[in-house]
Amino acid sequence: MQGTVDGFGYGVVTPVASYLVACLGSALGLRCVVRSLHNRQSWKPGWLALGAATIGCGIWTMHFIAMIGFRVQGIRIDYDARLTALSLAVAIAVVGVGVFAVGYRGATTATLTAAGIFTGLGVAAMHYLGMSAVQLNGSIQYDSLTVALSVLIAVGAATAALWAAASFRGFLSALGASLLMGIALTGMHYTGMAAVGVHLHGATDASYISGSYGSDTPASILLPMLIGPVVFLILAGVVVMFDPQLVLGDGDWSRAAPRRRPVAAAPPERPAAHSPGSLFEPRDHRAGRRATQRGR
C-alpha cells in the first residue's frame, strides 16, 4: 500500500528556513574561500577548512530543516542518529575536497569542472544518505529520472559555488552568488523529495509505535541534532564578520596593504640669488644697492 507523502507539513516555514540557512552557509563559506584565494598573507589551509565546514554544515542543516516538514500520513517517522551524523561528515568532506582543489590547484576550467562534479555527487550522496536515516514502517522508493535531475542540480550548484568563490571578490557579488546557491541547494533537495514514494508494510505495527520511538515527532528528534551545526554557523559568521579584510567590500583582496617606501632625503636647496627688489633682502643692503644705481 502506498503512503501519502507530504513534504510541507509546516507550510512555507521549513522551505523558507532551509533556504535562509543554505544562503547563510554558502555566503560565509564562499567568503572564507575568497579570503584564502585573494590574499597571500592569509593562512590558506585554515580558511579553506573553515569554508568547507561552513558550506557543508549549511547544506546539511538545510536538508534536515526541510525534513522537519516531511510527513507520511498515518505513520510515525524517526531518524537513525549515526547515519544522520555520517551524512554531516560526508557533506563537509566532499565540499572540502572541492574547496581545497580549487584553493591549491587554481581556478582553471579543468579544476573547477572536476571539483564541481565531485562535490555535487557528494552533496547528492549526503542527501540520499540522510534519507536512508529515515526510519518508518515502510520502504522508501525513488523515481529514477527525478533522482538523476536532482543529482544534475547538485553538480551544477557545486560547480557554480566554486566558480563564484574563484571569480567574485566583492561582498555584494558574493552575496548574490550565495542567494543563487541557496536556490540551487533547496531546489536540489525538493527535487529529490519529489522522487520519493513510500510503500507501507501493511497495518502499523504496535511495537513500532510503543518501542523506542515513543511519541516523538520529527521536529523533536531533529531540532536537538541541528543545534550544534547552527551554533557553528553562528560562530563562523562571527569569525568572518570580524575579519578586517571583509570590511573592504568591493576592494581588491589580492593586494596587501601598501608598504611605505622610505622617503629619500631631498638635496639641500641652494639659496636663490637675491634679485634687486627682493623682499627678503636686508634693508641696509637694499639702500646701498639703490644708492649705487642712482650714482650710475
Side-chain angles (χ1 to χ4, degrees):
M1 181 176 64
Q2 289 297 117
T4 302
V5 177
D6 181 13
F8 304 93
Y10 290 95
V12 299
V13 174
T14 49
V16 171
S18 61
Y19 170 72
L20 293 177
V21 170
C23 291
L24 175 63
S26 299
L28 296 177
L30 292 178
R31 219 55 193 151
C32 293
V33 177
V34 169
R35 177 71 164 78
S36 68
L37 287 175
H38 302 300
N39 189 308
R40 297 179 180 178
Q41 296 181 347
S42 64
W43 184 43
K44 186 184 289 288
W47 284 104
L48 291 176
L50 180 60
T54 306
I55 296 175
C57 280
I59 295 171
W60 184 89
T61 307
M62 174 274 301
H63 171 82
F64 282 101
I65 286 178
M67 288 302 293
I68 292 176
F70 177 69
R71 297 283 187 274
V72 180
Q73 185 177 358
I75 63 174
R76 299 182 185 278
I77 297 177
D78 195 15
Y79 291 85
D80 186 296
R82 290 174 297 179
L83 288 177
T84 302
L86 179 60
S87 64
L88 173 60
V90 168
I92 295 175
V94 295
V95 171
V97 171
V99 164
F100 274 82
V102 173
Y104 281 97
R105 297 185 62 87
T108 63
T109 302
T111 301
L112 286 173
T113 302
I117 292 175
F118 182 86
T119 304
L121 292 176
V123 171
M126 181 281 302
H127 174 86
Y128 290 104
L129 182 59
M131 290 300 299
S132 69
V134 176
Q135 296 180 339
L136 45 77
N137 189 30
S139 58
I140 297 179
Q141 303 168 341
Y142 296 96
D143 179 74
S144 300
L145 291 179
T146 310
V147 168
L149 178 60
S150 69
V151 173
L152 289 177
I153 294 175
V155 171
T159 306
L162 295 175
W163 174 78
S167 303
F168 296 129
R169 303 182 186 183
F171 179 78
L172 293 179
S173 299
L175 179 61
S178 67
L179 295 177
L180 294 177
M181 182 67 178
I183 294 175
L185 290 174
T186 51
M188 176 268 165
H189 171 83
Y190 284 104
T191 301
M193 295 306 295
V196 171
V198 176
H199 179 74
L200 301 180
H201 294 163
T204 304
D205 184 27
S207 62
Y208 183 84
I209 296 178
S210 61
S212 60
Y213 305 99
S215 58
D216 292 339
T217 63
S220 64
I221 297 170
L222 292 175
L223 286 178
M225 298 182 185
L226 293 171
I227 293 176
V230 170
V231 170
F232 175 80
L233 289 175
I234 294 173
L235 294 177
V238 172
V239 172
V240 173
M241 293 303 297
F242 278 90
D243 182 77
Q245 294 220 356
L246 184 65
V247 300
L248 294 178
D250 293 331
D252 187 359
W253 287 10
S254 63
R255 297 181 299 178
R259 298 178 180 178
R260 295 182 179 178
R261 297 182 179 179
V263 179
E269 297 181 357
R270 296 180 179 180
H274 293 293
S275 60
S278 174
L279 295 175
F280 299 99
E281 189 177 17
R283 287 183 179 180
D284 54 344
H285 287 189
R286 282 185 292 182
R289 193 182 300 276
R290 289 173 184 171
T292 303
Q293 289 176 350
R294 290 174 184 174
R296 293 178 183 176

